[in-house]
Amino acid sequence: MNDKALRTLEYDKIITSLCSLAGTTHGRELCSKLKPLSELKEIQKLQRQTTDALSRLLRRGSVSFGGIHDIRPSIMRLKVGSSLTAAELLHISSDLEATLRLKAYGGYTGKDGEEQTEDSLTEYFAGLEPLSPLNNEIRRCIISEEEIADDASPALKSVRRAIKNANDKIHSELSSILNSSRTLLQDNIITMRNGRYCLPVRAEYKSQFQGMIHDQSSTGSTLFIEPIAIVRLNNELRELAIREQEEIEKVLADLSNQAAEHCESLEYNFTTLSELDFIFARANLSRQMKGSEPIFNKNGIINIKKGRHPLIDQKKVVPIDIMLGKDFSMLIITGPNTGGKTVTLKTVGLLTLMGQAGLHIPAFDGSQLAVFEEVYADIGDEQSIEQSLSTFSSHMTNIVKILEQADRNSLVLFDELGAGTDPTEGAALAMSILSHLHRRQIRTMATTHYSELKIYALSTEGVSNASCEFDVETLRPTYRLLIGIPGKSNAFAISSKLGLPDYIIEDAKKRIGEQDKSFEDLISDLEASRITIEKEQDEISKYKQEIEQLKKSLAKKTESLEASRERLLKEAKEQAAQILQEAKEFADQSIRRYNKWLQEGGSIKDMENERGILRERISSSQGSTKKDNSKKGKTPSVKSLKVGDSVNVISLGLKGTVSTLPNAKGDLYVQMGILRSLVNIKDIELIEEEDIIAPGYSKTQSGKIKMSKSASIHPDINLIGKTVDEALSDLDKYLDDAYLAHLPQVTVIHGRGTGALKNAIHAHLKKLSYVKSFRLGAFGEGDQGVTIVEFK
């Protein structure tokens, strides 16, 4: 594509937005170099990648490319046998951690445990090599860029132990000197000068204090002297420091040798991560501008449905429908100034460039774009004072170049073709230029005010008129593009609304030729008929929508009434059966007591008391059936209850999550924090989950997302029998889902074993920002075999 068209259509601003969405330096480089392509297969490949990445973002959530460093210079040094610094090795480790994170994201399985179908990105994720042993070794040995761990090697540990012992001896000796020479010292402190321990001695006592002078204060009143008694110890300490540095270099050399064995994998990982960053940046741009994948063809057909200019505020831009190349190969757009003609040209040109660069376009699904080898645009005022070119001359210079270079595989866009000179000559030139392009079957769009070009479009096969709608009553454009209808400039109507005297307007109308006047009247009649038809169609569409809504509402009410009737009948039967059972049991008990009293000769008074209890029991049962059940919470039915539902346990006054479905008796387990209790279904109430507004997300009409992760997230995860890498990958995904499900805490089951899995899990939990705390299980929770994790 020619650079002039890219600048004119503001393609560079799209690339700037794309670069801001990339997370890595190399990813931003790839974004900045993105240019429109002309090979259909390559375009479709990029579009498929963008679509698959967007699908993963919507299904799985955002993915972070943070912490990825450009390690290519380090890899080059490894290939020639050089040792890397601690900072370089930590950068490699950071890239490997990002690789592990991305591989886990790419291998995501659905809620039912089924692996997601393969797409164009599966190969990228599958090829990533986390190299966990190398990463773990680097993390074990290097604490930070300035600190190497004591356990990095036995020799280093030994040297540092010797350094500690030497320091202890020096401090012990210096403390003894401090106590014995207080009068000679300026302060009772131990200080360092030139890497050696010294004492601050008063200048007047320097002859009485044996040792080596290393420094003095700015006033000269204090000398920093190394006591003669610790010179040997200080020398030993310096030697140990040199040995420590040697051991550190050996550790770094060993880690570098291990990394050198995986140069190809490290290089592949970095390249793949950068490519994925580039792809997901395109997907994020699509999500940001609510774009869709266009359908490409090589037949020169453009059919953009509700297309929006991506650089105009989404709340203000008016979507337009644009067609070109099927029934007509040339479109001439007319209408008043500021009506949206130029924006229409730029929208078609920019969306074509974006689509051919593998970017989604802000338009409805099913929009079609043609593959063009070149896009030419002559838009805007390009007057050049330096080159002594007028507006007309600069436009004509441009047009000459376009006519020389354009062919059947080009898209040509003209804004105000023929303007800036005598209207008669300008119209004739414009008509000749358009005729030349039309004969060569070059897809062309042009804007104009010339009536001659409107007539040319009406009288020429394969050329169509279009207009930008204008509301004369409000003097405002609607920015709607109407294909097939020529537009009016509305100069007389606008002037009249703005207060120009009627006699001047009438005089102006008389000066228009009869042919021009008839043509303008015809356009006005067509416009009036179109508005009337559109209003009638809108009314019919509204009536259809109302009828459809009434039908749905009636069906919903009928279904609700039927469900309520079945529920009430079922509850009544269950309650009646329960009352009968209780009555039978109480009656049997009462009969047994009466028989016992008759046999034992019981008193009349006891029998009357029993009858009184019976009457109270009957009255209580009758009263309970009359109580208003509306005061109770919503008791769930066995069928409607699901694992993960939020409930309130009435008897305990606690909120929890359903862990198991009810058994035949209606008993089920509910997890309430760390307490897991067996309760009856009658003792629980369902808690309605809140709807959470998702900013910037309008996938549904209401713009709300139901956060129901808890319907499938179990309060514990079993990692026993898995390797550390497998366990951490599964744990990471599980904790993300549990946190999104608003679970207050979860249980991680890792078993006792050797403790390696437990230690790895605890180390991983320390790095997670959303984990508030974690601890080993207490008695009854699983003891040392589980870890309880609490979220923020």
Side-chain angles (χ1 to χ4, degrees), residues 470-483:
F470 188 85
D471 190 342
V472 180
E473 294 299 322
T474 61
L475 297 181
R476 290 181 180 274
T478 65
Y479 301 107
R480 291 179 58 202
L481 183 69
L482 308 172
I483 294 179

Side-chain angles (χ1 to χ4, degrees), residues 722-733:
K722 297 186 177 182
T723 65
V724 171
D725 289 342
E726 293 172 344
L728 292 182
S729 178
D730 292 347
L731 177 64
D732 215 19
K733 180 166 71 68

Side-chain angles (χ1 to χ4, degrees), residues 731 735 758-774 789 792:
L731 177 64
L735 291 177
K758 178 190 70 176
N759 295 336
I761 290 172
H762 285 189
H764 184 66
L765 290 173
K766 290 179 182 178
K767 302 176 184 178
L768 300 180
S769 59
Y770 53 81
V771 171
K772 181 179 180 181
S773 63
F774 61 90
V789 182
K792 293 182 179 177

Side-chain angles (χ1 to χ4, degrees), residues 398-432:
N398 235 355
I399 292 169
V400 170
K401 292 179 181 177
I402 291 172
L403 294 177
E404 289 175 353
Q405 298 172 3
D407 57 23
R408 291 188 60 181
N409 295 319
S410 302
L411 173 65
V412 178
L413 307 173
F414 290 127
D415 187 28
E416 300 293 352
L417 181 61
T421 187
D422 177 75
T424 304
E425 294 180 356
L429 272 174
M431 199 178 305
S432 297

Side-chain angles (χ1 to χ4, degrees), residues 375-557:
V375 175
Y376 298 101
D378 181 56
I379 299 173
D381 186 1
E382 299 190 8
Q383 183 174 355
S384 174
I385 298 175
E386 291 145 358
Q387 297 179 9
S388 301
L389 292 176
S390 66
T391 300
F392 176 77
S393 299
S394 62
H395 278 294
M396 195 51 60
T397 302
N398 235 355
I399 292 169
V400 170
K401 292 179 181 177
I402 291 172
L403 294 177
E404 289 175 353
Q405 298 172 3
D407 57 23
R408 291 188 60 181
N409 295 319
S410 302
L411 173 65
V412 178
L413 307 173
F414 290 127
D415 187 28
E416 300 293 352
L417 181 61
T421 187
D422 177 75
T424 304
E425 294 180 356
L429 272 174
M431 199 178 305
S432 297
I433 291 169
L434 293 177
S435 297
H436 173 71
L437 293 172
H438 183 51
R439 285 194 301 271
R440 295 173 60 189
Q441 298 182 348
I442 296 173
R443 302 295 184 266
T444 307
M445 290 179 65
T447 66
T448 184
H449 286 285
Y450 295 139
S451 296
E452 291 88 342
L453 294 185
K454 302 176 191 177
I455 298 170
Y456 169 74
L458 287 171
S459 60
T460 306
E461 186 177 353
V463 183
S464 179
N465 271 305
S467 60
C468 291
E469 190 179 50
F470 188 85
D471 190 342
V472 180
E473 294 299 322
T474 61
L475 297 181
R476 290 181 180 274
T478 65
Y479 301 107
R480 291 179 58 202
L481 183 69
L482 308 172
I483 294 179
I485 300 173
K488 288 184 64 178
S489 296
N490 294 301
F492 293 152
I494 293 172
S495 300
S496 178
K497 285 284 183 181
L498 293 175
L500 191 69
D502 292 340
Y503 63 86
I504 294 180
I505 293 174
E506 291 299 324
D507 182 62
K509 287 181 179 179
K510 291 177 183 178
R511 296 176 184 276
I512 297 178
E514 285 298 323
Q515 184 178 356
D516 293 335
K517 186 175 181 181
S518 300
F519 181 71
E520 291 296 323
D521 290 341
L522 175 62
I523 292 177
S524 297
D525 293 339
L526 286 172
E527 182 70 9
S529 300
R530 181 191 64 78
I531 292 173
T532 303
I533 292 171
E534 282 190 354
K535 286 182 178 178
E536 291 176 353
Q537 287 178 340
D538 288 341
E539 289 179 1
I540 294 170
S541 177
K542 287 179 181 177
Y543 290 146
K544 285 183 178 180
Q545 288 179 0
E546 289 177 3
I547 293 169
E548 192 65 29
Q549 288 175 356
L550 288 171
K551 285 174 65 179
K552 289 180 180 179
S553 177
L554 181 61
K556 190 175 181 180
K557 287 181 179 178

